[in-house]
Amino acid sequence: MEAGGLEWLLVPMRQLVSWGAAGAMVFGGVVPYIPQYRDIRRTQTAEGFSTYVCLVLLVANILRILFWFGRHFESPLLWQSIIMIITMLLMLKLCTEVRVSNELNIKRRSFAAADSKDEEIKAPPKRSYLDFDLNYFWHWSKFTDYVQCVLTFTGVTGYITYLWLDSSLFVETLGFLAVFTEAMLGVPQLYRNYENRSTEGMSVKMVLMWTSGDTFKTVYFILNQAPFQFSICGLLQVFVDIAILLQVYLYSHYPQKPVSHAAHPASTKAL
């Protein structure tokens, strides 16, 4: 009687824990960006945040969704990718608006050529070809340019995936690329901090949430026997997060002189 009563209590408790873990997986990934989003809105500057973080996460989650068509993994991981894509687009929209409003020299940089006469007047000279100059890639003047780039990437990779979906080698490689790209999430921020010799403008709360979230996510992958690519790259992601936290400690306790922008003409104002 006692064992039966205990079992009656444990079953719903396990179910609640399972739902809680699934919910944390779906929405936990976007939580770290809330303080960064609020900081950018409050200060009206995006100098401390690398928008290449958004690029990495967009590519990683698009590839992960395509991987799902070849090898169905748990639904929470699929929904996590969808929510993350929406979040990164919102971050890009805010960063682009803030950056453009702060730039004194408004020179139109676009992903695709614009035919509007109004744009020709406002920001000459107008480019008549795709702006794939590496110095300005992912540094465009309008949010719609980022959307066009993301849609183009999705269309091309989606078509390739459709053609090779029957190949297990391709599907497994696609899965590895998805999680490996996500594992490199912190690298743009790591490099940006190194170039600036400072972590000023970067939300430390965001990185702490990255670390705790990535640790939880990696444990979740291992316990739920997710594809092995997920677990390996999850561990790599945790190591990158820890490296950024070490930068926070070093640059706050041992301040260094910032590298002159004149010495690096190829560097952009904001990644």
Side-chain angles (χ1 to χ4, degrees), residues 103-127:
E103 285 181 349
L104 297 176
N105 180 25
I106 304 174
K107 188 172 183 180
R108 177 79 167 98
R109 295 290 178 181
S110 61
F111 171 72
D115 297 324
S116 170
K117 292 182 180 179
D118 189 44
E119 285 186 351
E120 287 180 14
I121 295 171
K122 287 181 180 178
K126 174 177 70 67
R127 290 197 167 197

Side-chain angles (χ1 to χ4, degrees), residues 49-59 88 92 133-139 146 181 184-189 191-192 268 270-271:
F49 177 71
S50 172
T51 53
Y52 279 99
V53 168
C54 300
L55 174 61
V56 170
L57 278 175
L58 284 168
V59 170
M88 288 303 100
L92 273 176
D133 185 343
L134 290 179
N135 291 325
Y136 295 99
F137 177 77
W138 209 249
H139 191 68
Y146 294 95
T181 304
M184 294 295 101
L185 165 65
V187 172
Q189 192 67 56
Y191 179 72
R192 183 173 184 77
T268 56
L271 290 180

Side-chain angles (χ1 to χ4, degrees), residues 23-118:
M25 281 302 302
V26 173
F27 297 103
V30 306
V31 172
Y33 300 96
I34 295 175
Q36 184 70 69
Y37 187 91
R38 293 178 63 183
D39 285 349
I40 293 172
R41 284 195 63 126
R42 178 175 55 82
T43 61
Q44 285 299 294
T45 177
E47 286 294 309
F49 177 71
S50 172
T51 53
Y52 279 99
V53 168
C54 300
L55 174 61
V56 170
L57 278 175
L58 284 168
V59 170
N61 285 282
I62 289 168
L63 292 179
R64 188 196 285 185
I65 291 172
L66 294 175
F67 176 52
W68 181 85
F69 287 99
R71 182 176 174 184
H72 288 7
F73 45 79
E74 288 196 332
S75 296
L77 297 178
L78 178 64
W79 281 106
Q80 181 200 44
S81 292
I82 295 171
I83 298 296
M84 184 60 75
I85 288 172
I86 295 170
T87 303
M88 288 303 100
L89 289 175
L90 290 174
M91 285 292 294
L92 273 176
K93 187 174 187 298
L94 175 64
C95 290
T96 305
E97 289 172 353
V98 168
R99 188 184 70 242
V100 171
S101 67
N102 290 336
E103 285 181 349
L104 297 176
N105 180 25
I106 304 174
K107 188 172 183 180
R108 177 79 167 98
R109 295 290 178 181
S110 61
F111 171 72
D115 297 324
S116 170
K117 292 182 180 179
D118 189 44

Side-chain angles (χ1 to χ4, degrees), residues 92-184:
L92 273 176
K93 187 174 187 298
L94 175 64
C95 290
T96 305
E97 289 172 353
V98 168
R99 188 184 70 242
V100 171
S101 67
N102 290 336
E103 285 181 349
L104 297 176
N105 180 25
I106 304 174
K107 188 172 183 180
R108 177 79 167 98
R109 295 290 178 181
S110 61
F111 171 72
D115 297 324
S116 170
K117 292 182 180 179
D118 189 44
E119 285 186 351
E120 287 180 14
I121 295 171
K122 287 181 180 178
K126 174 177 70 67
R127 290 197 167 197
S128 58
Y129 53 89
L130 296 184
D131 186 1
F132 285 120
D133 185 343
L134 290 179
N135 291 325
Y136 295 99
F137 177 77
W138 209 249
H139 191 68
W140 301 309
S141 306
K142 284 189 176 181
F143 172 65
T144 51
D145 294 314
Y146 294 95
V147 175
Q148 289 175 22
C149 181
V150 170
L151 290 176
T152 300
F153 175 78
T154 304
V156 172
T157 53
Y159 181 67
I160 294 172
T161 302
Y162 173 75
L163 294 178
W164 291 87
L165 202 57
D166 293 333
S167 170
S168 60
L169 177 61
F170 174 82
V171 170
E172 293 301 323
T173 303
L174 184 66
F176 175 77
L177 288 175
V179 291
F180 180 75
T181 304
E182 186 174 359
M184 294 295 101

